[in-house]
Amino acid sequence: MEYYLLVLAKFVLGFLIVISHLNFSGKTQLSQMTPVDFIGNFVLGGIIGGVIYNDVIPLYQYIIVLIIGVMLISLLNAISKRFFIFRSFAIGNPIPIIKDGKFIMENILKRKNKIDILNVASQLHAQGIHSFQNLKYAQIEPGGQITAVCEGADMPSVILIKDGRIRYSELDAIQKDEQWLHEKITSLGVTQISEIFLAEFWQGEMTLVMSDGKVCR
């Protein structure tokens, strides 16, 4: 009976620690999770599954290992938010596959992208887009979703600055450089990029959200 109570205690403690971690991080839905979260949750599940029936490992060691796993996942997520290079490696960047109605074959055929065009077509059909002929622009998001813009529709906005850091991949996507970005920001009366929480570019217009919540247009 004592063995089964220990198993139950390990299960309940593991469940509570993982649920607390998910609630604390705010990622309680699959759509909110990054590859770091998925891999981390598999690791936590492996720890729980590997230890829960093992009565040799003390309960306190089991709890410590789980807490270390949770802290590592949180650290990696924090690094991915702060450093775009790590984010690009761990989470990835959007992959444009159609631009101005033309397929970008070098992105589609890259081995590392492993794009299944039939799967792309299925996702588009699920969004009510029945043909590639209707598309003006399409890209695959890091989470695997498809962002598509049909002919005659507006292109989605581009986030050029986040938390005071320039997103150079997005600048390249709209074929602009850092000098152009500085000129746009200066024209709105802002001189320090570090003061900008978010810079959004849409339909030729720049909108800045400052660190204090003020919006500049």
Side-chain angles (χ1 to χ4, degrees), residues 96-130:
I97 58 173
I98 297 175
K99 187 174 182 180
D100 296 328
K102 298 179 180 179
F103 282 80
I104 307 175
M105 299 307 297
E106 57 268 29
N107 288 348
I108 295 173
L109 298 177
K110 273 184 181 177
R111 181 175 297 179
K112 69 175 184 178
N113 293 338
K114 296 182 180 179
I115 294 173
D116 182 350
I117 201 67
L118 296 179
N119 182 50
V120 171
S122 296
Q123 291 194 54
L124 291 174
H125 294 166
Q127 295 181 32
I129 301 172
H130 304 299

Side-chain angles (χ1 to χ4, degrees), residues 11-27:
F11 177 79
V12 171
L13 284 171
F15 183 81
L16 289 175
I17 290 173
V18 173
I19 289 296
S20 298
H21 162 62
L22 293 176
N23 286 328
F24 180 76
S25 65
K27 297 178 179 179

Side-chain angles (χ1 to χ4, degrees), residues 38 53 98 139 144:
F38 276 113
Y53 300 113
I98 297 175
Q139 70 180 27

Side-chain angles (χ1 to χ4, degrees), residues 146-163:
I146 305 294
T147 296
V149 179
C150 293
E151 290 289 348
D154 293 327
M155 292 290 290
S157 67
V158 179
I159 305 300
L160 299 179
I161 297 175
K162 181 180 178 295
D163 295 328

Side-chain angles (χ1 to χ4, degrees), residues 125 206-207:
H125 294 166
M206 184 80 74
T207 299

